[in-house]
């Protein structure tokens, strides 16, 4: 046997006394390592020495400890000789823990079964102990001299099947103790891992093992915030190699159902920031008390701060974004960049710091195989560590370390800094601690025109039973946010209105501590809220209805007007796929993404970044996308589908068809299909019903769209979904002129493109039919008169933008008449281009005067802008004074007279 040391090992042996001592005490390791060290540690290599019959427990413990030393030497050589990246090292250590844990569990399970029989559930099926790996073990990030954190869970109560029967609890308690002893007991050969069970329910005072029911009850009644943090990285390491696969899947699924709602809230949990800030403050106090500033894990800018940053985002958003429910720290950081929650440059700095700190942590531990994180204080130790990290000397390594720690601290403070540190100057004003004259002066200095009203409204809120009965945490958060709301309101154009709306909003979310925490943690979001509610009462109502949208205010891209619709669709599909089959959640997701996108557009609109035309384009694209993505979800709920993909199309009419949707516009739709299957009519009618229900039903997340299906052939009495041929036949033989007018603004919006193409061909065919202009003119005028009689204002001083003579409907009727009357000669008029572009085209074709067309087009654009402004101010009727827009009214009336002669 050649026990000659490889010269390439010298640097590793010089740094790690543990490695040198192991090779000296066990020279037989040398040829084994020489044959394997150039490749990463493998599971087969670990399992090989365990494939034997052991005579007693001492032999088992000795074999496990020899295996551990063998694996540690392999890992140390590869790491200290520069052959292994950090990812390989932590995975190798995790693999060692998994192999030894599962071996001990299986060995002692069989041993106990021989005495007591299998532990059975109520159905008489064997059970297994689930060992939950926590912390770095759960995240597959175990360091080279780490403890292992376990929690022992068994499926359910019952008894064992042997002649010497005991309760399952006793069986699994005995099993857990034997596993702990096999790995953690200190023998002449050392130990495999130090075992830490303090993360189990109730810690050291709790039972060693816990049933699933007991765990669920504990989470509901006693689970603490720090335990949520710990359970993020929880991982089932085993279920025993003899366990039934189906049973294992059921147990793990049950564990997920219990733990995930505890760890990941279904709402955005911004309260987690405060909880984790408090936890970190406790750690820092402990570090300071023990003079541990040079602790690379817990000290300032250390490993724990990077982990906290990754995991606080998981706690906040993991319930709504299952993709964030992952374990490895570096994977989480990368995902946060993908989700636009962390700048790419921040992730790079944190990743580089994490790798540096973990490598340094390992080098500190390789020296004596001790779980240490403290930098050496002796010159020889410092020189050795610096050399092992590839630095010329300690000073240069320390400079690099401090640079990384400073970056980590900077990013940590950006996430966890307390914006409420110190008392806000307006706290006395909010708390009504000032005398009336002083309070009036303070409000006046902030720009308030009605200080007494503001004082009274504040007193009303603070004296209300709703405020008084709030949990103390929520009340303290409102009291932290309140002074900043006064300050933010004072910075707007209308402080008095903003404060009233802002206080109403605070009252509406008073019991939602997470939203209050968001406003408390992010003053910028509160300032944006103030700006929006000042600018628009409709925006105020929208935010009151959907406070979840506060999260959008944190996105630095909020005011980026270029929407990545392809990315939006991809993200939506990914989120829906994460909840496939959960109809309620799928419906909520559609509503949430719709509300969020509308809110982003609203913020841009109020900031003056969107024209009415571009805004309508975006809202129409959003509606088309959501209808398109909803269709297959509805189709999949139909049990007796006759084909894989429906040959079905959604045709948009009105504002949807004309791409002029506003914030709260209805969707006018017609459903067509082209399918000869005998079940087609019934299935597509059912699909149409479900689509309508999915779009318009009220859920906990609100509604998606109000829908109107009355424009289908034969209106309310007609079939919900009609074949393409039946639609064509109806349009050719039975449709009224007003239905052909409506067809001018119709288009294929979602569904099967082939069916959509058939519709577009029929639409063009119908619009290009030759018509008698006199008859057409008379029918259009008659329909216009009927609408005026029903809706016009008949006021001499006020003008109804939509219905009065010279308004929006006149422009639309002019365009529709020109299309129906002249498209048989000019095919370009059938393009769905919008009313302004079609007026311009008609002028170019010589059908109307160019100057009159431009003037009417300008009027139409201004009417839509004014109508939109009315919507933002939540004015119920779109009426304004006639005088400011007289020239526009005159322009439309002039074109009407030129076209219709009356």
């Amino acid at each position: 046997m050649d026990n000659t040391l490889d010269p390439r090992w010298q640097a590793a042996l010089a740094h790690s006394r543990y490695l040198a001592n192991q090779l000296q005490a066990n020279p037989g390791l040398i040829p084994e390592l020489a044959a394997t060290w150039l490749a990463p540690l493998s599971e087969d290599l670990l399992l090989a020495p365990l494939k034997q019959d052991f005579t007693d427990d001492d032999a088992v413990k000795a074999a496990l400890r020899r295996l551990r030393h063998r694996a540690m030497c392999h890992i140390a050589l590869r790491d200290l000789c520069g052959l292994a990246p950090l990812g390989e090292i932590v995975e190798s250590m995790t693999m060692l823990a998994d192999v030894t844990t599962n071996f001990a569990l299986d060995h002692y399970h069989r041993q106990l079964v021989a005495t007591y029989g299998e532990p059975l559930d109520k159905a008489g099926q064997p059970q297994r102990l689930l060992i939950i790996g926590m912390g770095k073990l759960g995240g597959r990030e175990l360091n080279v001299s780490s403890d292992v954190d376990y929690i022992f869970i068994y499926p359910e109560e019952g008894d064992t099947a042997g002649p010497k029967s005991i309760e399952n609890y006793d069986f699994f308690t005995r099993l857990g103790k034997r596993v702990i002893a096999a790995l953690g007991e200190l023998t002449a050969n050392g130990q495999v891992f130090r075992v830490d069970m303090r993360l189990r329910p109730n810690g050291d005072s709790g039972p060693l093992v816990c049933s699933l029911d007991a765990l669920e009850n504990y989470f509901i009644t006693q689970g603490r915030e720090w335990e949520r943090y710990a359970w993020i990285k929880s991982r089932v390491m085993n279920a025993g190699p003899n366990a039934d696969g189906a049973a294992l899947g059921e147990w793990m699924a049950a564990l997920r159902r219990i733990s995930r709602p505890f760890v990941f809230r279904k709402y955005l949990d911004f309260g987690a920031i405060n909880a984790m800030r408090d936890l970190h403050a406790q750690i820092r106090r402990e570090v300071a008390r023990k003079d541990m500033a040079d602790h690379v894990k817990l000290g300032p800018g250390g490993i724990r701060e990077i982990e906290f940053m990754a995991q606080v985002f998981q706690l906040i958003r993991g319930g709504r974004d299952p993709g964030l429910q992952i374990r490895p720290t570096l994977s989480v950081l990368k995902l946060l960049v993908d989700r636009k929650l962390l700048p790419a440059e921040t992730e790079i700095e944190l990743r580089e710091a994490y790798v540096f700190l973990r490598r340094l942590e390992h080098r500190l531990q390789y020296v004596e195989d001790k779980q240490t994180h403290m930098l050496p204080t002796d010159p020889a130790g410092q020189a050795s560590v610096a050399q092992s990290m590839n630095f010329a000397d300690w000073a240069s390594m320390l400079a690099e370390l401090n640079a990384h720690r400073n970056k980590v601290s900077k990013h940590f403070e950006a996430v966890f800094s307390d914006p409420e540190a110190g008392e806000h100057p307006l706290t006395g004003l909010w708390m009504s601690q000032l005398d009336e004259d002083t309070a009036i002066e303070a409000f006046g200095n902030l720009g308030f025109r009605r200080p007494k009203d503001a004082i009274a409204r504040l007193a009303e809120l603070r004296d209300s039973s709703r405020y008084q009965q709030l949990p103390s945490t929520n009340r303290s958060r409102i009291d932290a946010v309140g002074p900043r709301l006064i300050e933010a309101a004072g910075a707007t154009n209308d402080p008095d209105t903003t404060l009233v709306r802002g206080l109403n909003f605070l009252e509406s979310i008073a019991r939602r501590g997470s939203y209050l925490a968001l406003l408390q943690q992010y003053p910028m979001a509160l300032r944006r809220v103030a700006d929006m509610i000042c600018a628009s009462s409709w925006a105020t109502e929208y935010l009151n209805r959907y406070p979840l949208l506060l999260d959008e205010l944190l996105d630095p891209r909020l005011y980026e007007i270029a929407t990545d619709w392809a990315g939006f669709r991809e993200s939506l599909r990914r989120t829906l796929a994460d909840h496939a089959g959960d109809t309620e959640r799928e419906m909520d997701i559609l509503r949430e993404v719709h509300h969020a996108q509308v809110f982003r557009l609203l913020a841009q609109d109020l900031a003056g970044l969107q024209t009415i035309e571009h805004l309508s384009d975006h809202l129409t694209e959003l509606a088309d996308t959501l209808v398109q993505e909803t269709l297959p979800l509805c189709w999949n709920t139909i049990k007796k589908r006759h084909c894989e993909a429906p040959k079905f199309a959604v045709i948009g009419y009105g504002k949807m068809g004309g791409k002029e949707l506003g914030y709260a516009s209805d969707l006018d739709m017609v459903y067509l299909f082209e399918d000869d299957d005998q079940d087609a009519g019934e299935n597509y009618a059912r699909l149409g019903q479900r689509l309508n229900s999915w779009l318009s039903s009220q859920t906990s997340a609100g509604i998606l769209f109000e829908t109107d299906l009355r424009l289908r052939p034969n209106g309310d009495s007609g079939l919900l979904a009609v074949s393409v041929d039946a639609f064509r036949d109806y349009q050719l033989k039975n449709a009224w002129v007003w239905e052909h007018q409506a067809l001018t603004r119709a288009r294929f919006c979602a569904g099967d493109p082939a069916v959509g193409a058939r519709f577009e061909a029929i639409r063009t065919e119908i619009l290009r039919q030759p018509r008698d202009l006199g008859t057409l003119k008379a029918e259009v005028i008659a329909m216009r008169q009927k609408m005026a009689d029903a809706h016009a204002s008949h006021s001499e001083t006020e003008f109804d933008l939509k219905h009065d003579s010279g308004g929006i409907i006149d422009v639309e009727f002019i365009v529709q008449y020109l299309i129906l009357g002249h498209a048989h000669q000019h095919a370009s008029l059938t393009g769905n281009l919008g009313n302004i572009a079609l007026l311009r085209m008609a002028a170019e074709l010589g059908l109307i005067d160019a100057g009159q067309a431009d003037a009417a087009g300008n009027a139409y654009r201004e009417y839509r802008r004014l109508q939109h402004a009315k919507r933002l101010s939540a004015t119920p009727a779109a009426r304004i004074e006639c005088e400011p827009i007289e020239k526009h009214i005159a322009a439309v009336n002039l074109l009407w007279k030129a076209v219709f002669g009356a």
Side-chain angles (χ1 to χ4, degrees):
M1 182 180 293
D2 184 3
N3 291 340
T4 305
L5 295 177
D6 190 316
R8 291 173 292 182
W9 297 0
Q10 290 308 311
L13 292 166
H15 177 71
S16 174
R17 286 189 288 275
Y18 165 77
L19 176 62
N21 291 339
Q22 283 296 317
L23 296 188
Q24 184 176 7
N26 302 288
L29 276 177
I30 296 172
E32 290 183 37
L33 291 169
T36 61
W37 79 291
L38 292 175
L41 194 65
S42 69
E43 188 172 16
D44 288 342
L45 192 150
L46 291 173
L47 286 171
L50 300 177
K51 293 178 178 179
Q52 57 177 295
D53 293 327
F54 293 96
T55 56
D56 54 35
D57 286 356
D58 288 341
V60 170
K61 292 175 183 177
L64 288 173
R65 281 149 183 75
R66 284 195 300 272
L67 173 60
R68 193 260 181 188
H69 292 311
R70 166 75 175 79
M72 282 296 300
C73 291
H74 186 112
I75 292 168
L77 281 174
R78 286 187 56 76
D79 194 357
L80 294 171
C81 293
L83 298 184
L86 174 64
E88 179 190 318
I89 300 303
V90 297
E91 175 58 28
S92 294
M93 287 302 304
T94 303
M95 191 192 315
L96 174 64
D98 283 3
V99 166
T100 54
T101 300
N102 282 313
F103 174 82
L105 178 67
D106 184 53
H107 175 83
Y108 289 109
H109 182 94
R110 284 186 274 108
Q111 190 180 80
L112 286 168
V113 165
T115 304
Y116 302 107
E118 288 282 3
L120 305 179
D121 62 16
K122 59 179 176 288
Q125 297 301 311
Q127 297 189 70
R128 292 293 182 270
L129 183 67
L130 303 180
I131 295 187
I132 315 299
M134 305 291 285
K136 287 186 169 63
L137 173 60
R140 306 198 72 87
E141 302 167 316
L142 209 59
N143 65 50
V144 297
S145 188
S146 182
D147 298 350
V148 288
D149 294 286
Y150 292 147
I151 293 177
F152 294 154
I153 304 293
Y154 62 96
E156 62 182 73
E157 304 294 351
D159 300 299
T160 64
K164 191 176 179 182
S165 178
I166 58 174
E167 292 182 352
N168 289 347
Y169 170 80
D170 286 337
F171 181 95
F172 289 120
T173 299
R174 295 174 192 226
L175 177 55
K177 287 179 178 179
R178 295 190 188 191
V179 170
I180 291 171
L183 300 177
E185 186 178 287
L186 195 59
T187 72
N189 293 314
Q191 58 189 169
V192 185
F193 289 101
R194 292 170 297 276
V195 178
D196 191 335
M197 298 297 300
R198 290 174 296 175
L199 292 178
R200 69 185 187 268
N202 292 306
D204 285 340
S205 63
L208 186 67
V209 299
C210 176
S211 70
L212 285 171
D213 284 346
L215 179 67
E216 182 173 25
N217 182 64
Y218 176 82
F219 282 156
I220 293 171
T221 60
Q222 300 179 61
R224 289 158 289 182
E225 284 295 324
W226 69 262
E227 289 178 291
R228 293 180 58 207
Y229 164 74
W231 272 81
I232 287 177
K233 288 185 179 290
S234 63
R235 174 175 64 90
V236 177
M237 299 173 64
N238 67 281
N242 296 324
D244 177 73
L248 169 60
E250 291 175 7
W251 300 334
M252 293 181 66
L255 180 63
R256 283 194 296 272
R257 284 196 299 271
I258 291 168
S259 63
R260 284 190 177 178
F262 170 68
V263 180
F264 301 108
R265 304 294 194 240
K266 66 180 180 180
Y267 50 81
L268 291 168
D269 185 16
F270 285 93
I273 293 180
N274 291 337
M276 293 188 73
R277 185 191 295 120
D278 293 343
L279 177 59
H280 183 260
Q282 293 176 24
I283 293 172
R284 279 203 167 171
R285 285 193 294 270
E286 188 72 3
V287 167
R289 185 178 68 81
K290 295 183 177 179
D291 192 22
M292 295 162 61
D294 283 340
H295 197 287
V296 298
K297 178 180 179 181
L298 302 181
I303 295 166
R304 180 57 55 82
E305 290 189 355
I306 300 173
E307 293 172 340
F308 268 39
M309 277 184 277
Q311 288 167 319
V312 75
F313 284 104
Q314 291 182 278
L315 287 178
I316 291 171
R317 300 173 184 277
R320 304 199 72 83
D321 184 353
L324 286 171
Q325 296 178 14
I326 58 176
R327 302 180 187 95
T329 300
L330 293 181
S331 299
V332 175
L333 292 175
K334 184 177 184 303
L335 198 58
L336 293 177
V337 175
D338 295 340
R339 298 291 197 271
K340 311 299 183 186
L341 297 172
L342 206 64
E345 55 272 19
T346 299
E347 186 270 339
I348 291 171
E349 291 185 351
L350 291 176
R351 171 165 38 85
E352 291 175 347
Y354 182 82
V355 171
F356 183 93
L357 290 166
R358 292 298 309 272
R359 290 181 65 244
L360 176 58
E361 171 189 51
H362 289 163
R363 275 140 186 79
L364 299 176
Q365 294 171 355
Y366 282 132
V367 176
E368 297 285 0
D369 188 26
K370 290 182 178 178
Q371 176 74 329
T372 180
H373 298 85
M374 294 296 293
L375 296 176
T377 55
D378 62 296
Q382 292 174 343
S384 179
V385 169
Q387 186 175 14
S388 72
M389 291 287 288
N390 298 320
F391 285 91
D393 52 46
W394 178 252
S396 55
M397 195 214 76
L398 197 60
E400 178 86 5
L401 170 62
N402 289 334
H404 283 304
R405 291 172 64 161
N406 288 338
K407 290 175 183 177
V408 172
S409 291
K410 177 189 70 175
H411 295 307
F412 185 87
E413 290 302 321
V415 174
F416 284 96
S417 62
D418 186 355
E420 302 303 327
E423 188 173 274
H424 193 277
L426 298 180
T427 297
L429 190 59
W430 167 263
M431 302 293 288
S432 303
Q433 295 170 342
L434 308 180
D435 62 74
E436 185 176 16
D437 289 341
T438 305
I440 289 173
E441 181 181 1
F443 273 116
N445 291 338
L446 289 168
F448 286 78
R449 293 186 290 275
R450 300 185 297 278
K452 288 187 177 181
D453 290 348
I455 294 169
R457 181 66 183 91
L458 286 180
E460 178 188 353
L461 182 147
R462 294 182 54 76
D463 293 340
S464 68
S465 59
R466 172 181 284 187
Y467 173 84
Q468 296 294 337
Q469 294 169 8
L470 285 174
S472 59
T473 308
N474 290 32
R475 196 161 57 246
S476 66
R477 285 174 178 169
I478 284 186
D479 289 340
V481 171
R484 297 186 182 277
L485 174 62
I486 297 173
E487 181 181 46
T492 66
N493 296 329
D494 188 351
D496 300 87
T497 299
T498 305
L499 182 62
V500 170
R501 291 174 177 173
L503 292 175
N504 291 341
F505 177 61
L506 281 188
E507 284 186 315
S508 74
I509 62 170
R511 292 199 169 274
R512 308 292 291 274
S514 181
Y515 297 140
L516 295 172
L518 183 155
L519 295 174
Q520 179 186 3
Q521 179 67 26
Y522 298 101
M524 171 202 62
L526 184 60
R527 290 193 294 271
R528 287 180 171 177
V529 168
D531 290 339
M532 292 186 73
I533 63 179
C534 175
S536 167
S537 58
W538 190 85
T540 306
E541 294 172 8
Y542 201 69
L543 198 53
N544 278 327
R545 216 177 312 142
Y546 309 118
L548 181 68
L549 297 172
L550 284 172
D551 181 49
E552 296 298 316
L553 298 174
L554 304 182
D555 192 332
R557 302 163 300 156
L558 179 65
Y559 295 112
E560 292 180 8
I561 61 174
T563 302
D564 177 9
W565 287 110
F568 175 85
R569 283 186 282 272
E570 181 182 348
S571 174
L572 174 57
R573 288 168 186 164
R574 184 173 60 238
T575 305
L576 288 168
D578 287 337
H579 298 275
D582 184 346
T583 297
E584 182 179 350
R585 185 68 193 121
E586 288 172 335
M587 292 177 74
D588 282 348
I589 288 168
L590 292 166
R591 283 150 178 76
E592 288 161 8
V593 298
H594 173 255
H595 301 331
Q597 193 61 37
V598 168
F599 188 72
R600 296 171 74 87
L601 293 169
L602 176 61
Q604 296 166 13
D605 184 14
L606 295 176
L609 301 176
Q610 292 281 3
T611 66
I612 184 63
E613 289 88 352
H614 286 150
L615 182 66
S616 291
D617 286 344
H618 283 309
L619 290 170
T620 303
E621 181 79 25
L622 177 61
D624 286 0
T625 297
L626 291 172
V627 173
Q628 179 67 55
E629 297 306 319
T630 303
L631 259 179
L633 300 177
C634 295
W635 184 244
N636 288 338
T637 66
I638 295 174
K639 293 181 180 179
K640 296 181 179 179
R641 299 186 298 275
H642 65 279
C643 57
E644 187 63 30
K647 301 169 185 177
F648 179 95
V650 176
I651 309 303
Y653 275 71
K655 288 185 177 180
M656 184 186 191
K659 299 184 179 180
E660 292 183 350
L661 286 178
Y663 289 125
S665 296
D666 296 351
L667 300 189
D668 292 293
M669 298 184 295
V670 169
Y671 302 147
L672 302 181
F673 66 88
E674 188 170 33
D675 192 330
D676 295 330
D677 191 279
Q678 62 179 4
D679 295 326
E682 181 180 348
N683 276 343
Y684 292 133
R686 189 174 291 118
L687 174 59
Q689 288 174 332
R690 295 202 180 170
L691 178 61
N692 199 52
S693 176
W694 274 58
L695 295 177
S696 60
S697 293
Q698 180 82 30
T699 75
S700 60
I703 71 166
L704 203 49
F705 297 102
E706 294 286 357
T707 58
D708 190 338
L709 308 179
R710 291 174 296 176
L711 288 173
R712 66 186 186 270
N714 295 307
D716 283 340
S717 62
L719 296 171
L720 194 61
V722 298
S723 71
V724 170
D725 289 338
F727 177 80
R728 178 179 181 274
D729 190 62
Y730 176 84
Q731 292 290 339
L732 285 171
K733 299 175 182 177
N734 302 109
W736 299 83
V737 170
W738 67 262
E739 290 179 283
H740 288 176
Q741 287 179 249
L743 199 60
T744 65
R745 287 161 61 84
R747 65 183 177 86
F748 166 67
C749 296
D752 185 341
V755 182
R758 278 292 316 276
F759 162 77
E760 294 294 350
I762 293 169
R763 175 181 175 274
T764 301
E765 177 189 2
I766 300 300
L767 296 183
R768 296 200 66 195
Q769 282 188 306
R771 293 173 174 85
D772 179 76
L773 293 183
T775 303
L776 175 64
K777 189 178 298 184
E779 293 202 40
V780 171
I781 292 173
M783 177 56 67
R784 179 68 186 94
Q785 187 62 53
K786 185 183 295 185
M787 295 179 69
D789 292 342
H791 300 290
S793 67
H794 307 293
S795 169
E796 295 183 1
T797 58
E798 284 190 331
F799 181 74
D800 186 305
L801 290 166
K802 182 175 181 180
H803 293 288
D804 278 355
S805 176
I808 288 174
I809 287 182
D810 277 5
V811 177
E812 292 175 346
F813 271 45
I814 289 169
V815 172
Q816 290 163 11
Y817 166 79
L818 292 171
I819 295 171
L820 295 177
H822 300 281
H824 68 284
Q825 293 176 310
H826 306 288
S828 57
L829 288 172
T830 61
N832 199 324
L833 306 174
N835 289 311
I836 295 173
L838 288 166
L839 282 174
R840 191 179 305 117
M841 181 181 293
E844 291 169 355
L845 293 171
L847 303 177
I848 54 176
D849 178 79
Q852 291 178 356
D854 284 343
N858 291 335
Y860 186 76
R861 182 182 291 109
E862 179 64 9
Y863 291 161
R864 287 192 63 208
R865 188 190 69 78
L866 292 170
Q867 195 179 46
H868 182 64
K870 287 286 186 179
R871 162 63 67 185
L872 291 179
S873 64
T875 305
R879 294 180 181 178
I880 61 172
E881 293 182 8
C882 294
E883 186 176 353
I885 57 169
E886 282 182 347
K887 70 172 185 177
H888 292 309
I889 298 171
V892 175
N893 282 332
L894 183 62
L895 182 58
W896 180 275
K897 186 175 182 180
V899 172
F900 293 104

